[in-house]
Short mmCIF file of all heavy atoms in Angstrom, two decimals:
data_model
loop_
_atom_site.label_atom_id
_atom_site.label_comp_id
_atom_site.label_asym_id
_atom_site.label_seq_id
_atom_site.Cartn_x
_atom_site.Cartn_y
_atom_site.Cartn_z
N ALA A 18 -13.91 -16.24 28.21
CA ALA A 18 -15.05 -17.06 28.18
C ALA A 18 -15.34 -17.62 29.56
O ALA A 18 -14.44 -17.87 30.44
CB ALA A 18 -14.98 -18.35 27.32
N GLN A 21 -13.66 -20.59 31.20
CA GLN A 21 -12.28 -20.52 31.36
C GLN A 21 -11.79 -19.50 32.32
O GLN A 21 -10.55 -19.56 32.66
CB GLN A 21 -11.68 -20.06 29.98
CG GLN A 21 -11.97 -21.18 28.90
CD GLN A 21 -11.58 -20.77 27.55
OE1 GLN A 21 -12.28 -20.07 26.78
NE2 GLN A 21 -10.32 -21.29 27.19
N ARG A 78 -14.76 -8.47 25.82
CA ARG A 78 -15.62 -9.56 25.43
C ARG A 78 -15.64 -10.70 26.52
O ARG A 78 -14.51 -11.20 26.87
CB ARG A 78 -15.20 -10.14 24.07
CG ARG A 78 -15.93 -11.38 23.63
CD ARG A 78 -15.55 -11.98 22.31
NE ARG A 78 -16.36 -13.09 21.99
CZ ARG A 78 -15.90 -14.42 21.80
NH1 ARG A 78 -14.51 -14.59 21.68
NH2 ARG A 78 -16.63 -15.35 21.60
N HIS A 122 -20.67 -19.82 24.87
CA HIS A 122 -19.30 -20.17 24.75
C HIS A 122 -19.15 -21.64 25.29
O HIS A 122 -18.46 -21.80 26.29
CB HIS A 122 -18.20 -19.28 25.38
CG HIS A 122 -16.85 -19.24 24.79
ND1 HIS A 122 -16.32 -18.18 24.17
CD2 HIS A 122 -16.01 -20.26 24.58
CE1 HIS A 122 -15.16 -18.40 23.82
NE2 HIS A 122 -14.85 -19.77 23.93
N TRP A 123 -20.00 -22.55 24.78
CA TRP A 123 -19.83 -23.96 24.95
C TRP A 123 -20.33 -24.65 26.25
O TRP A 123 -20.25 -25.85 26.38
CB TRP A 123 -18.32 -24.47 24.83
CG TRP A 123 -17.70 -23.82 23.55
CD1 TRP A 123 -18.22 -23.19 22.52
CD2 TRP A 123 -16.20 -24.03 23.22
NE1 TRP A 123 -17.27 -22.93 21.52
CE2 TRP A 123 -16.16 -23.37 21.96
CE3 TRP A 123 -15.20 -24.61 23.82
CZ2 TRP A 123 -14.77 -23.32 21.33
CZ3 TRP A 123 -13.91 -24.51 23.29
CH2 TRP A 123 -13.84 -24.01 22.03
N ASN A 167 -20.35 -18.91 19.97
CA ASN A 167 -18.96 -18.93 19.76
C ASN A 167 -18.50 -20.14 19.08
O ASN A 167 -18.58 -21.31 19.62
CB ASN A 167 -18.18 -18.67 21.06
CG ASN A 167 -16.69 -18.79 20.84
OD1 ASN A 167 -16.13 -17.85 20.38
ND2 ASN A 167 -16.00 -19.77 21.21
N GLU A 168 -17.87 -20.12 17.95
CA GLU A 168 -17.16 -21.15 17.26
C GLU A 168 -18.14 -22.47 17.24
O GLU A 168 -17.56 -23.59 17.60
CB GLU A 168 -15.89 -21.46 17.93
CG GLU A 168 -14.86 -20.43 17.71
CD GLU A 168 -13.42 -20.78 18.18
OE1 GLU A 168 -13.33 -21.91 18.51
OE2 GLU A 168 -12.54 -19.99 18.00
N TYR A 171 -16.04 -25.11 15.42
CA TYR A 171 -14.88 -25.78 16.26
C TYR A 171 -15.48 -26.64 17.37
O TYR A 171 -15.00 -27.79 17.56
CB TYR A 171 -13.97 -24.65 16.68
CG TYR A 171 -12.72 -25.22 17.40
CD1 TYR A 171 -11.73 -25.82 16.52
CD2 TYR A 171 -12.51 -25.17 18.67
CE1 TYR A 171 -10.52 -26.31 17.18
CE2 TYR A 171 -11.45 -25.73 19.31
CZ TYR A 171 -10.40 -26.27 18.53
OH TYR A 171 -9.28 -26.80 19.12
N ALA A 224 -14.72 -19.64 14.05
CA ALA A 224 -13.31 -20.07 14.03
C ALA A 224 -12.88 -20.30 12.61
O ALA A 224 -13.19 -21.28 11.90
CB ALA A 224 -13.13 -21.31 14.75
N ASN A 297 -12.83 -15.27 14.83
CA ASN A 297 -11.71 -15.80 15.71
C ASN A 297 -10.51 -16.45 14.79
O ASN A 297 -10.83 -17.48 14.13
CB ASN A 297 -12.26 -17.07 16.65
CG ASN A 297 -13.20 -16.53 17.62
OD1 ASN A 297 -13.47 -15.29 17.71
ND2 ASN A 297 -13.76 -17.44 18.40
N TYR A 299 -6.72 -17.77 14.39
CA TYR A 299 -5.51 -18.23 14.83
C TYR A 299 -4.42 -18.59 13.81
O TYR A 299 -3.22 -18.37 13.93
CB TYR A 299 -5.61 -19.41 15.81
CG TYR A 299 -6.35 -18.97 17.13
CD1 TYR A 299 -7.68 -18.97 17.20
CD2 TYR A 299 -5.58 -18.38 18.11
CE1 TYR A 299 -8.40 -18.55 18.32
CE2 TYR A 299 -6.26 -17.96 19.36
CZ TYR A 299 -7.65 -18.02 19.40
OH TYR A 299 -8.34 -17.54 20.49
N ILE A 317 -6.70 -33.11 17.54
CA ILE A 317 -5.78 -31.96 17.48
C ILE A 317 -4.54 -32.20 18.57
O ILE A 317 -4.71 -33.11 19.39
CB ILE A 317 -6.31 -30.62 17.89
CG1 ILE A 317 -7.27 -30.87 19.17
CG2 ILE A 317 -7.17 -30.17 16.74
CD1 ILE A 317 -7.94 -29.67 19.66
N TRP A 350 1.01 -24.52 15.78
CA TRP A 350 0.01 -23.71 15.05
C TRP A 350 0.76 -22.86 14.10
O TRP A 350 1.75 -22.13 14.48
CB TRP A 350 -0.82 -22.83 15.96
CG TRP A 350 -1.88 -23.77 16.78
CD1 TRP A 350 -1.86 -25.08 16.82
CD2 TRP A 350 -2.97 -23.30 17.44
NE1 TRP A 350 -2.98 -25.45 17.57
CE2 TRP A 350 -3.66 -24.41 18.06
CE3 TRP A 350 -3.59 -22.05 17.75
CZ2 TRP A 350 -4.84 -24.32 18.85
CZ3 TRP A 350 -4.63 -21.93 18.56
CH2 TRP A 350 -5.33 -22.97 19.09
N GLU A 376 -11.35 -12.92 18.45
CA GLU A 376 -10.30 -13.63 19.19
C GLU A 376 -9.10 -13.57 18.10
O GLU A 376 -9.36 -13.90 17.00
CB GLU A 376 -10.58 -15.04 19.48
CG GLU A 376 -11.41 -15.39 20.65
CD GLU A 376 -11.75 -16.80 20.90
OE1 GLU A 376 -11.01 -17.63 20.69
OE2 GLU A 376 -12.91 -17.01 21.43
N GLY A 380 -0.95 -18.74 22.03
CA GLY A 380 -0.87 -19.58 23.18
C GLY A 380 0.61 -20.07 23.37
O GLY A 380 1.15 -20.66 22.38
N TRP A 423 -7.20 -12.54 22.32
CA TRP A 423 -7.39 -13.58 23.15
C TRP A 423 -6.06 -13.84 23.91
O TRP A 423 -5.10 -14.18 23.22
CB TRP A 423 -7.78 -14.82 22.37
CG TRP A 423 -8.17 -16.00 23.27
CD1 TRP A 423 -7.44 -16.97 23.63
CD2 TRP A 423 -9.44 -16.19 23.86
NE1 TRP A 423 -8.06 -17.84 24.55
CE2 TRP A 423 -9.32 -17.35 24.67
CE3 TRP A 423 -10.57 -15.45 23.82
CZ2 TRP A 423 -10.43 -17.84 25.39
CZ3 TRP A 423 -11.75 -15.89 24.71
CH2 TRP A 423 -11.56 -17.19 25.45
N ILE A 428 -6.08 -17.88 30.95
CA ILE A 428 -7.33 -18.65 31.15
C ILE A 428 -7.06 -20.15 31.14
O ILE A 428 -6.03 -20.58 30.75
CB ILE A 428 -8.32 -18.29 29.91
CG1 ILE A 428 -7.54 -18.34 28.58
CG2 ILE A 428 -8.93 -16.99 30.14
CD1 ILE A 428 -7.73 -19.42 27.69
N LEU A 429 -8.07 -20.90 31.54
CA LEU A 429 -7.93 -22.34 31.47
C LEU A 429 -8.07 -22.72 29.92
O LEU A 429 -9.18 -22.34 29.33
CB LEU A 429 -9.04 -23.12 32.24
CG LEU A 429 -9.23 -24.54 31.95
CD1 LEU A 429 -8.06 -25.32 32.73
CD2 LEU A 429 -10.54 -25.06 32.47
N SER A 430 -7.04 -23.32 29.36
CA SER A 430 -7.20 -23.87 28.07
C SER A 430 -8.06 -25.07 28.08
O SER A 430 -7.65 -26.03 28.86
CB SER A 430 -5.86 -24.11 27.47
OG SER A 430 -5.97 -24.70 26.19
N TRP A 431 -9.15 -25.18 27.41
CA TRP A 431 -10.12 -26.29 27.65
C TRP A 431 -9.50 -27.65 27.88
O TRP A 431 -9.84 -28.37 28.86
CB TRP A 431 -11.02 -26.34 26.42
CG TRP A 431 -11.76 -25.17 26.14
CD1 TRP A 431 -11.35 -24.17 25.38
CD2 TRP A 431 -13.09 -24.73 26.76
NE1 TRP A 431 -12.27 -23.09 25.39
CE2 TRP A 431 -13.33 -23.42 26.25
CE3 TRP A 431 -13.95 -25.32 27.65
CZ2 TRP A 431 -14.46 -22.71 26.51
CZ3 TRP A 431 -15.06 -24.61 27.87
CH2 TRP A 431 -15.36 -23.30 27.43
N LEU A 432 -8.55 -28.03 27.05
CA LEU A 432 -7.97 -29.33 26.99
C LEU A 432 -6.56 -29.33 27.64
O LEU A 432 -5.95 -30.41 28.02
CB LEU A 432 -7.95 -30.00 25.71
CG LEU A 432 -9.41 -30.17 25.11
CD1 LEU A 432 -9.26 -30.69 23.66
CD2 LEU A 432 -10.36 -30.96 25.88
N ASN A 433 -5.85 -28.14 27.65
CA ASN A 433 -4.44 -28.08 27.94
C ASN A 433 -4.11 -27.55 29.21
O ASN A 433 -2.88 -27.14 29.47
CB ASN A 433 -3.77 -27.24 26.85
CG ASN A 433 -4.10 -27.78 25.42
OD1 ASN A 433 -3.92 -28.86 25.11
ND2 ASN A 433 -4.79 -26.89 24.69
N LYS A 437 -0.60 -23.72 28.31
CA LYS A 437 -0.72 -23.01 27.22
C LYS A 437 -1.38 -21.62 27.63
O LYS A 437 -2.63 -21.60 27.99
CB LYS A 437 -1.66 -23.71 26.23
CG LYS A 437 -1.52 -23.11 24.81
CD LYS A 437 -2.44 -24.04 23.87
CE LYS A 437 -2.25 -23.69 22.48
NZ LYS A 437 -3.20 -24.43 21.52
N TYR A 439 -2.43 -17.41 27.20
CA TYR A 439 -2.65 -16.38 26.17
C TYR A 439 -2.73 -15.01 26.62
O TYR A 439 -2.82 -14.03 25.83
CB TYR A 439 -4.09 -16.73 25.61
CG TYR A 439 -4.14 -17.87 24.62
CD1 TYR A 439 -4.41 -19.19 25.03
CD2 TYR A 439 -4.10 -17.64 23.16
CE1 TYR A 439 -4.46 -20.18 24.08
CE2 TYR A 439 -4.07 -18.68 22.27
CZ TYR A 439 -4.27 -20.03 22.73
OH TYR A 439 -4.37 -21.05 21.87
C1 LIG B 501 -10.93 -20.79 20.68
C2 LIG B 501 -11.87 -20.77 21.72
O1 LIG B 501 -11.10 -22.06 19.99
O2 LIG B 501 -9.53 -20.91 20.76
C3 LIG B 501 -11.17 -20.41 23.08
O3 LIG B 501 -12.91 -19.84 21.37
C4 LIG B 501 -9.90 -21.08 23.18
O4 LIG B 501 -12.15 -20.49 24.09
C5 LIG B 501 -9.00 -20.62 22.15
O5 LIG B 501 -9.29 -20.89 24.44
C6 LIG B 501 -7.65 -21.29 22.25
O6 LIG B 501 -7.74 -22.60 22.09
P1 LIG B 501 -6.72 -23.47 23.01
O7 LIG B 501 -7.08 -24.93 22.77
O8 LIG B 501 -5.37 -23.19 22.51
O9 LIG B 501 -6.92 -23.12 24.47
#
Side-chain angles (χ1 to χ4, degrees):
Q21 296 179 278
R78 172 181 178 235
H122 203 124
W123 308 354
N167 177 71
E168 296 192 357
Y171 185 75
N297 291 1
Y299 290 92
I317 46 177
W350 288 12
E376 287 180 29
W423 187 262
I428 42 106
L429 171 73
S430 172
W431 302 89
L432 304 176
N433 310 299
K437 194 179 191 185
Y439 283 88

